[in-house]
Amino acid sequence: MKPVKRNSKILLLLFLTLLCFACSKEKVSEEVLVKVYVENVIADKTYAHNSDSLRIHKGAVFKKYELTEKEFEVELGKYSQDKDRWARFFKKANDYLEELKKSNAIN
C-alpha cells in the first residue's frame, strides 16, 4: 500500500471517529433542565427590577450546570413540542421548587 493512500485511510478513520463522538454528545438530562428552569424562574422573580443582577445570576446558574443558554433553550423547545412530556416536566419543576422551599433555600 502506498504511504499517501495509507495516510488518507488513517485520516478518514480519525475523522469518522471524531464525528461519532461529536454526534453522540449526551443531551441535557431532564433533572438538570428542571433545576436550571426553576433556578432561573427564581432569579427572574428575585431580580426583576435589577437587570444586571439578573443577568449575572442567570449566568451563574448556567455555569453551575455547565450549560449554555442556547443549549437550555434548544432542549426546553424539544419538551414544549410534546404535551405529555411538557406536563411531566412542569410537575418535576414544581416538585423541585417545593423541595427548595422545604429546605429553606428560598422563601
Side-chain angles (χ1 to χ4, degrees), residues 8-18:
S8 296
K9 286 184 179 185
I10 291 171
L11 287 174
L12 179 62
L13 181 61
L14 180 61
F15 174 75
L16 291 174
T17 303
L18 290 173

Side-chain angles (χ1 to χ4, degrees), residues 32-72:
V32 167
L33 202 61
V34 164
K35 289 180 178 182
V36 171
Y37 178 81
V38 169
E39 291 177 30
N40 277 328
V41 168
I42 293 167
D44 285 335
K45 299 292 181 188
T46 304
Y47 303 107
H49 301 294
N50 189 334
S51 61
D52 289 337
S53 293
L54 176 60
R55 183 179 43 79
I56 291 167
H57 186 78
K58 283 188 164 190
V61 170
F62 289 121
K63 186 176 182 178
K64 174 181 173 182
Y65 292 103
E66 299 177 351
L67 186 68
T68 66
E69 188 171 357
K70 179 73 173 170
E71 290 169 327
F72 172 74

Side-chain angles (χ1 to χ4, degrees), residues 23 27 31 42 50 57 69 90 104:
C23 292
K27 65 179 184 170
E31 179 183 350
I42 293 167
N50 189 334
H57 186 78
E69 188 171 357
F90 276 101
N104 291 323

Side-chain angles (χ1 to χ4, degrees), residues 67-80:
L67 186 68
T68 66
E69 188 171 357
K70 179 73 173 170
E71 290 169 327
F72 172 74
E73 290 171 358
V74 167
E75 287 301 317
L76 199 61
K78 292 176 186 178
Y79 278 75
S80 68

